[in-house]
Coordinates of all heavy atoms in Angstrom, one line a residue:
L225 N 19.9 1.7 -5.0 CA 19.0 2.5 -4.1 C 19.5 3.8 -3.8 O 18.8 4.8 -3.8 CB 18.7 1.7 -2.8 CG 17.8 2.4 -1.8 CD1 16.5 2.8 -2.4 CD2 17.5 1.5 -0.6
L228 N 18.8 6.0 -6.7 CA 17.4 6.4 -6.9 C 17.0 7.4 -5.8 O 16.2 8.3 -6.1 CB 16.5 5.1 -6.7 CG 16.8 4.0 -7.8 CD1 15.7 2.9 -7.6 CD2 16.7 4.6 -9.2
I229 N 17.5 7.3 -4.6 CA 17.1 8.3 -3.6 C 17.6 9.7 -3.9 O 16.9 10.7 -3.7 CB 17.6 7.8 -2.2 CG1 16.8 6.7 -1.7 CG2 17.6 9.0 -1.2 CD1 17.3 6.0 -0.4
R230 N 18.8 9.7 -4.6 CA 19.4 11.0 -5.0 C 18.6 11.7 -6.1 O 18.8 12.9 -6.3 CB 20.8 10.8 -5.4 CG 21.7 10.5 -4.1 CD 23.1 10.1 -4.5 NE 23.7 9.6 -3.3 CZ 24.7 8.6 -3.3 NH1 25.1 8.1 -4.4 NH2 25.2 8.2 -2.1
L231 N 17.7 11.0 -6.8 CA 16.8 11.6 -7.8 C 15.5 12.0 -7.1 O 14.8 11.2 -6.6 CB 16.6 10.6 -8.9 CG 17.8 10.1 -9.6 CD1 17.5 8.9 -10.5 CD2 18.5 11.2 -10.4
D232 N 15.3 13.3 -7.0 CA 14.2 13.8 -6.2 C 12.9 13.6 -7.0 O 12.7 14.2 -8.1 CB 14.4 15.3 -6.0 CG 13.2 16.0 -5.2 OD1 12.1 15.4 -5.1 OD2 13.4 17.1 -4.8
T233 N 12.0 12.7 -6.5 CA 10.7 12.5 -7.2 C 9.6 12.7 -6.2 O 8.6 12.0 -6.2 CB 10.7 11.0 -7.7 OG1 11.1 10.1 -6.7 CG2 11.6 10.8 -8.9
V234 N 9.7 13.8 -5.5 CA 8.6 14.2 -4.6 C 7.4 14.5 -5.4 O 7.5 15.3 -6.4 CB 9.0 15.4 -3.7 CG1 7.8 16.0 -3.0 CG2 10.1 15.0 -2.7
D290 N 7.5 7.5 -7.2 CA 7.3 8.8 -6.6 C 7.4 8.7 -5.0 O 7.3 7.6 -4.5 CB 6.0 9.5 -7.0 CG 4.8 8.6 -6.6 OD1 4.9 7.4 -6.6 OD2 3.7 9.2 -6.2
T291 N 7.6 9.8 -4.4 CA 7.6 9.8 -2.9 C 6.8 11.0 -2.4 O 6.4 11.8 -3.1 CB 9.1 10.0 -2.3 OG1 9.4 11.4 -2.6 CG2 10.1 9.1 -3.0
V292 N 6.5 10.9 -1.1 CA 5.9 12.1 -0.5 C 7.0 13.1 -0.2 O 8.2 12.8 -0.3 CB 5.2 11.8 0.8 CG1 4.0 10.9 0.5 CG2 6.1 11.1 1.9
L293 N 6.7 14.3 0.2 CA 7.7 15.4 0.4 C 8.5 15.1 1.7 O 8.2 14.2 2.5 CB 7.0 16.7 0.5 CG 5.9 17.0 1.4 CD1 6.3 17.1 2.9 CD2 5.1 18.2 1.1
A294 N 9.6 15.8 1.8 CA 10.4 15.7 3.0 C 10.8 17.1 3.4 O 11.2 17.9 2.6 CB 11.6 14.9 2.8
D295 N 10.8 17.4 4.7 CA 11.2 18.7 5.2 C 12.6 18.5 5.8 O 12.8 17.9 6.9 CB 10.2 19.2 6.3 CG 10.7 20.5 7.0 OD1 11.8 21.0 6.6 OD2 10.0 21.0 7.9
E298 N 13.6 18.7 9.5 CA 13.2 17.6 10.5 C 14.1 16.4 10.5 O 14.0 15.6 11.4 CB 11.8 17.1 10.1 CG 10.6 18.0 10.4 CD 9.4 17.2 10.0 OE1 9.1 16.9 8.9 OE2 8.6 16.8 11.0
W299 N 15.0 16.4 9.5 CA 15.8 15.2 9.3 C 17.2 15.3 9.9 O 17.8 16.4 9.9 CB 16.0 14.9 7.8 CG 14.8 14.3 7.1 CD1 13.6 14.9 7.0 CD2 14.7 13.1 6.4 NE1 12.7 14.1 6.3 CE2 13.4 13.0 5.9 CE3 15.6 12.0 6.2 CZ2 13.0 11.9 5.1 CZ3 15.2 11.0 5.4 CH2 13.9 10.9 4.9
D302 N 20.5 14.7 5.1 CA 19.8 15.2 3.9 C 18.9 14.1 3.4 O 19.3 13.0 3.1 CB 20.9 15.6 2.9 CG 20.3 16.0 1.6 OD1 19.1 16.0 1.4 OD2 21.1 16.3 0.7
P303 N 17.6 14.4 3.2 CA 16.6 13.4 2.8 C 16.9 12.8 1.4 O 16.4 11.8 1.0 CB 15.3 14.1 2.8 CG 15.4 15.4 3.4 CD 16.9 15.7 3.6
W304 N 17.8 13.5 0.6 CA 18.1 13.1 -0.7 C 19.6 12.7 -0.9 O 20.2 12.7 -1.9 CB 17.7 14.1 -1.8 CG 16.2 14.3 -1.8 CD1 15.3 13.5 -2.4 CD2 15.5 15.3 -1.1 NE1 14.0 13.9 -2.1 CE2 14.1 15.0 -1.4 CE3 15.8 16.4 -0.3 CZ2 13.1 15.8 -0.8 CZ3 14.8 17.2 0.2 CH2 13.4 16.9 -0.1
S305 N 20.2 12.4 0.3 CA 21.6 12.0 0.3 C 21.9 10.6 -0.1 O 22.9 10.2 -0.6 CB 22.2 12.3 1.7 OG 21.7 11.4 2.6
G306 N 20.9 9.7 0.3 CA 21.1 8.3 0.0 C 22.3 7.8 0.8 O 23.0 6.8 0.5
W314 N 19.8 5.8 4.1 CA 18.9 6.9 4.5 C 18.3 7.7 3.3 O 19.1 7.9 2.4 CB 19.6 7.9 5.4 CG 19.9 7.4 6.8 CD1 20.7 6.3 7.1 CD2 19.5 7.9 8.0 NE1 20.7 6.1 8.5 CE2 20.0 7.1 9.1 CE3 18.7 9.0 8.4 CZ2 19.8 7.4 10.4 CZ3 18.4 9.3 9.7 CH2 19.0 8.5 10.7
G315 N 17.1 8.1 3.4 CA 16.6 9.0 2.4 C 15.1 8.8 2.2 O 14.5 7.7 2.5
R316 N 14.5 9.8 1.6 CA 13.1 9.8 1.3 C 12.8 8.7 0.3 O 13.4 8.7 -0.7 CB 12.6 11.1 0.8 CG 11.1 11.2 0.3 CD 10.2 10.6 1.4 NE 9.7 11.6 2.4 CZ 9.6 11.4 3.7 NH1 10.0 10.2 4.2 NH2 9.2 12.3 4.5
G317 N 11.9 7.8 0.6 CA 11.6 6.7 -0.3 C 12.3 5.4 0.0 O 12.0 4.4 -0.6
A318 N 13.2 5.4 1.0 CA 14.0 4.2 1.3 C 13.0 3.0 1.6 O 13.3 1.9 1.1 CB 14.9 4.4 2.5
L319 N 12.0 3.3 2.4 CA 11.0 2.3 2.7 C 9.8 2.3 1.7 O 9.2 1.3 1.4 CB 10.5 2.4 4.1 CG 11.5 2.1 5.2 CD1 11.0 2.6 6.6 CD2 11.8 0.7 5.3
D320 N 9.4 3.5 1.4 CA 8.2 3.7 0.6 C 8.5 4.5 -0.7 O 8.3 5.7 -0.7 CB 7.1 4.4 1.4 CG 5.8 4.5 0.7 OD1 5.6 3.9 -0.4 OD2 4.9 5.3 1.1
M321 N 8.8 3.8 -1.8 CA 9.2 2.4 -1.8 C 10.4 2.2 -2.8 O 10.4 1.2 -3.5 CB 8.0 1.5 -2.1 CG 7.4 1.7 -3.5 SD 6.1 0.6 -4.0 CE 6.9 -1.0 -4.2
K322 N 11.3 3.1 -2.8 CA 12.5 3.0 -3.7 C 13.3 1.7 -3.3 O 14.0 1.2 -4.2 CB 13.3 4.2 -3.7 CG 12.6 5.4 -4.5 CD 13.4 6.7 -4.6 CE 12.7 7.6 -5.5 NZ 13.3 9.0 -5.4
L614 N 8.6 5.6 10.4 CA 9.5 6.3 9.5 C 8.8 6.6 8.1 O 9.2 7.5 7.4 CB 10.7 5.5 9.3 CG 11.6 5.4 10.5 CD1 12.9 4.5 10.1 CD2 12.1 6.7 11.0
I615 N 7.8 5.8 7.8 CA 7.2 5.9 6.4 C 6.4 7.2 6.4 O 5.7 7.6 7.3 CB 6.3 4.7 6.1 CG1 7.2 3.5 5.8 CG2 5.4 5.0 5.0 CD1 6.4 2.2 5.6
H616 N 6.7 8.0 5.4 CA 6.1 9.3 5.2 C 6.5 10.3 6.3 O 5.9 11.3 6.5 CB 4.5 9.3 5.2 CG 4.0 8.7 3.9 ND1 2.7 8.9 3.4 CD2 4.5 7.8 3.1 CE1 2.5 8.2 2.3 NE2 3.6 7.5 2.1
S617 N 7.6 10.0 7.0 CA 8.1 10.8 8.1 C 9.6 11.1 7.9 O 10.2 10.7 7.0 CB 7.7 10.1 9.4 OG 8.0 10.9 10.5
A618 N 10.1 11.8 9.0 CA 11.5 12.2 8.9 C 12.4 10.9 9.2 O 12.0 10.0 9.8 CB 11.8 13.2 9.9
D619 N 13.7 11.0 8.7 CA 14.7 10.0 9.0 C 14.3 8.6 8.4 O 14.8 7.6 8.9 CB 15.0 9.9 10.5 CG 15.6 11.2 11.0 OD1 16.2 11.9 10.2 OD2 15.5 11.4 12.2
E620 N 13.6 8.6 7.3 CA 13.2 7.3 6.7 C 14.5 6.6 6.2 O 15.4 7.3 5.7 CB 12.4 7.6 5.4 CG 11.9 6.3 4.7 CD 10.9 6.7 3.5 OE1 10.6 7.8 3.3 OE2 10.6 5.7 2.8
R621 N 14.6 5.3 6.5 CA 15.8 4.6 6.1 C 15.5 3.1 6.1 O 14.5 2.6 6.6 CB 16.9 4.8 7.1 CG 16.5 4.5 8.6 CD 17.5 5.2 9.5 NE 17.3 4.8 10.9 CZ 16.6 5.6 11.8 NH1 16.0 6.7 11.3 NH2 16.4 5.2 13.0

Side-chain angles (χ1 to χ4, degrees):
L225 176 55
L228 298 185
I229 287 172
R230 288 170 192 150
L231 300 169
D232 178 348
T233 50
V234 170
D290 60 324
T291 71
V292 296
L293 52 74
D295 175 0
E298 284 184 294
W299 286 61
D302 173 1
W304 295 280
S305 67
W314 286 60
R316 175 52 87 224
L319 292 168
D320 183 14
M321 64 175 293
K322 285 177 173 172
L614 295 178
I615 288 175
H616 289 205
S617 185
D619 296 338
E620 185 178 353
R621 56 196 186 266

